Amino acid sequence: MNDRDEAKKVIVVDLQMPFFSIVVLMVKWALASIPAIIILAVIFNVVTGLMGGLLFPRW
């Protein structure tokens, strides 16, 4: 067994990143979350509509 096969543990003690880079990263995350929220809302509405139609049908 060589060094590549062994699992190694790593502990990160410090991360130095410029403030502007962090701001840009958070803006990208916020913009990326918009389509995800829309997709989740559509899925929720479809499931709610199906469950409502199955459990409470109109006669």
Side-chain angles (χ1 to χ4, degrees):
M1 189 190 291
N2 58 18
D3 287 338
R4 289 188 204 177
D5 295 334
E6 285 186 32
K8 296 184 179 183
K9 294 183 179 180
V10 177
I11 299 174
V12 178
V13 294
D14 190 15
L15 178 67
Q16 294 182 0
M17 190 172 180
F19 178 75
F20 184 71
S21 295
I22 296 171
V23 171
V24 170
L25 179 66
M26 289 196 293
V27 168
K28 287 181 181 180
W29 282 347
L31 291 175
S33 69
I34 293 171
I37 291 171
I38 292 171
I39 291 169
L40 288 174
V42 168
I43 291 172
F44 178 76
N45 285 331
V46 168
V47 170
T48 304
L50 288 173
M51 295 301 286
L54 291 174
L55 295 175
F56 305 107
R58 294 183 184 215
W59 297 336

